[in-house]
Every structure is written in C-alpha cells, then in structure tokens.
Amino acid sequence: SAEHWVGTSSSGSGVATAAGFCFACLGSGTGGSIRYPSATCGLSGLKPTYGRVSRYGVFDLAPSLDHVGPMTRSAADCAAMLQAIAGYDPQDPTSLDAPVPDYMSGLGRGVRDMRIGIDRAYAFDGVDASVAQALENAIDQFERLGARIVEITMPSYEELVAAWVMMCAAETALVHHETYPSRASAYGPDLSNLIEHGLATSGVEVARGHILRIEFSQALETLFGGIDCMLCPTMPSPTPTLVQMAAYGADPDVLNAILRYTVPFDFSGSPALTLPNGIDALDMPTSMQIIGPALSESVILRAGAAYQDATDWHCRHPDLG
C-alpha cells in the first residue's frame, strides 16, 4: 500500500526485493533498518553478528552499531547471500576473523530438539492482537516441527532502548565532525537534529549507555547458554501508515515501544533474522524475529528455513495493480 511505511533507511532495498525487481538487496541496520523494511515488505532479512560482514565502503551512521546484511524473499536466499558476503576483511577494523561455515548445507536439517526460547511478557505485553496471534501460531508450528519451546526471561532492556537515540547521536556527531557544523547548511533537518543531539550529550551520559550495553550483552550471552535461539516480534503493531509513523516519531514512549524488539540486538551485536509469519486485517504482513548468540547464523537460518518449508507467508507478493 502506498499509504504505509516501508521501514527506515533500507526501504528502497525492501521495496525493490519485495516487488521482484531483484533477487535480493543489501541493507544497513543501526537500530532496525534491515529488519523494519523486511518486516513491512514481507521479506526475510538478516542482521548478522556485528563484524560478520565487512562495513568497508559503507558511510557510517554509528560505527559501533552499524551492521550490513541481506534482504531477500526467503531464509534460504538469505543464506546464499550471507555465504557471498561474510568473512574477514582487513580493511574493516571491526571485521571478525572467524571461519565462515557453509550456510546452505544445514538448511534442510529441520529444528527437531532445537531449544527455542520465548519470554512471553517481552514478546506479548502491549502487542497488537494480530501480531501476537501470528507469533502464537509460529510457536505452535515450531512445536509441530519438533522444536522444544523454552520459557525464558529477557534481560532488562528498557533503559538501554531509551539510550539508543543518545548513543547513536553521539557516534553520528563524531562521524560528521569534519563537516558539521562547518557545513551545517548542507545538511537536512533530521540529520542536523540528530547531530545536535549528539553534540549536546555529555560524556557521563555516553558512559552510562556504554555500561548498560555491556551489562545487557553479558546477561544475554548467559541466557543463550541454555537455548539455541529465541523468538519475538519485529514490531509490536501492524505496519503503520506514513501519517501514523510521522506522529510516532514525535512521541519518545511510542518510539521506544517500536525499538524494543530491534535495538537491544544492535547493542549486543547478536544475529537476528526477520521473516513474515502472517497477514493482518489490512492485508499487510506481520513478522517475527529469530535471534541467536554471536555467530549462530547457521542455526537461525536453519530455523527460518524449516518454518518456511512448512508455511507459505514468504511466498506472498504485493499486488502492484
């Protein structure tokens, strides 16, 4: 629908892939910009582990949060794309020097006995009924496929989510220090406002956000010691209209509610796969995430492929009229 939001800064990639103009595209995600366009366009999009895919040549937004990943029409296509782009790059100092597995080879192994975590309060509280029902149906589907659903407790994340804009802004101000404010007239209002926010942020505030990030990431790593991956929505509500999204941006509480499912895993650098899991009353896609510990892309792609072998939500295409 032309009236609906199609995600944030990788929206062109999302629309082009969903419409069939290309096999797949790359997205860049700092707070959700791979997963939001994938969710709103009915795609399978992967934010890989931080450093799994080189960021060399990408113009930074916030370097410690930026990720590059594939946006495709299926988990299997995500695996093929990741195979081509993953690996160590000496030109990116944050690139991980870790072996790249064969992501395609394990896709048919299914999820029998895979431990999939769900924090029902995190995943369902304050969530629209259509999004919640689609996730419940997905949980049931994974159980039918032989997965073990494990009740978990998500580490405390609220303060960290609230700190994301501040932390992103501070890093963005640093990225642009050579041209802002010296060439401020060349900047648009949104980026200018973000940079100004960063310039006004104190070192103590950044330090507090950094400590929250470390505490959350360590707690999440401990949580993953008992499960293979976890499920949650990508967004708490159906795809908003452009008018609704403009209003949401002015309300920090609503914005934090939207960010709660994406931002924590940008801070932790965890791999997260978004994939469609239903259709709402307005014929817009609903979606969910499969999230795993660092470098577990093979596991979450295998889970996503098993789900898509059993369902057809990823085969739906927009009516271009």
Side-chain angles (χ1 to χ4, degrees):
S1 166
E3 292 78 31
H4 283 80
W5 189 57
V6 287
T8 42
S9 54
S10 301
S11 56
S13 295
V15 170
T17 305
F21 296 157
C22 54
F23 168 74
C25 276
L26 294 181
S28 60
T30 307
S33 298
I34 294 171
R35 288 162 290 166
Y36 292 142
S38 296
T40 57
C41 294
L43 297 177
S44 303
L46 176 67
K47 183 194 78 64
T49 304
Y50 183 78
R52 175 78 287 186
V53 175
S54 173
R55 294 184 297 110
Y56 178 71
V58 173
F59 194 98
D60 292 324
L61 178 60
S64 80
L65 295 166
D66 294 344
H67 299 68
V68 175
M71 299 167 64
T72 69
R73 288 189 288 276
S74 70
D77 289 351
C78 263
M81 285 287 287
L82 185 63
Q83 197 72 60
I85 63 177
Y88 176 66
D89 180 1
Q91 297 183 99
D92 174 5
T94 64
S95 177
L96 294 175
D97 189 3
V100 177
D102 184 345
Y103 294 113
M104 301 293 291
S105 66
L107 292 182
R109 290 173 50 198
V111 294
R112 182 160 301 280
D113 293 326
M114 184 181 289
R115 301 165 301 169
I116 299 179
I118 184 79
D119 179 334
R120 300 194 70 85
Y122 177 60
F124 292 105
D125 286 358
V127 171
D128 182 86
S130 63
V131 175
Q133 188 59 61
L135 185 59
E136 288 279 19
N137 293 344
I139 292 170
D140 290 344
Q141 182 65 66
F142 277 118
E143 286 192 299
R144 288 194 293 273
L145 293 171
R148 294 164 50 199
I149 303 301
V150 180
E151 298 288 335
I152 61 172
T153 299
M154 177 75 169
S156 178
Y157 64 90
E158 293 88 351
E159 284 187 83
L160 186 64
V161 170
W164 178 82
V165 172
M166 172 193 74
M167 298 291 282
C168 179
E171 291 194 24
T172 303
L174 177 62
V175 168
H176 290 266
H177 76 280
E178 292 185 356
T179 54
Y180 194 98
S182 61
R183 295 174 56 191
S185 62
Y187 283 72
D190 290 342
L191 185 53
S192 291
N193 288 339
L194 185 65
I195 293 173
E196 290 289 351
H197 188 175
L199 293 172
T201 299
S202 74
V204 171
E205 289 174 306
V206 172
R208 175 61 177 157
H210 183 60
I211 291 168
L212 288 170
R213 180 181 194 171
I214 292 172
E215 291 174 346
F216 173 80
S217 298
Q218 291 180 336
L220 189 66
E221 182 179 356
T222 299
L223 174 64
F224 279 128
I227 56 174
D228 298 300
C229 59
M230 62 177 284
L231 292 179
C232 69
T234 309
M235 301 191 302
S237 62
T239 303
T241 64
L242 293 172
V243 172
Q244 288 172 325
M245 198 61 204
Y248 293 163
D251 187 332
D253 291 336
V254 176
L255 182 60
N256 287 344
I258 294 172
L259 295 174
R260 84 189 217 204
Y261 292 125
T262 55
V263 157
F265 310 108
D266 287 287
F267 275 124
S268 67
S270 309
L273 175 67
T274 286
L275 63 165
N277 64 351
I279 298 290
D280 68 21
L282 296 177
D283 291 328
M284 299 298 291
T286 58
S287 72
M288 64 182 178
Q289 292 182 92
I290 306 174
I291 300 151
L295 296 177
S296 67
E297 284 85 356
S298 293
V299 173
I300 63 175
L301 287 167
R302 175 159 58 96
Y307 177 78
Q308 291 181 336
D309 283 344
T311 62
D312 68 352
W313 301 116
H314 64 295
C315 298
R316 311 291 179 95
H317 296 286
D319 181 0
L320 301 180

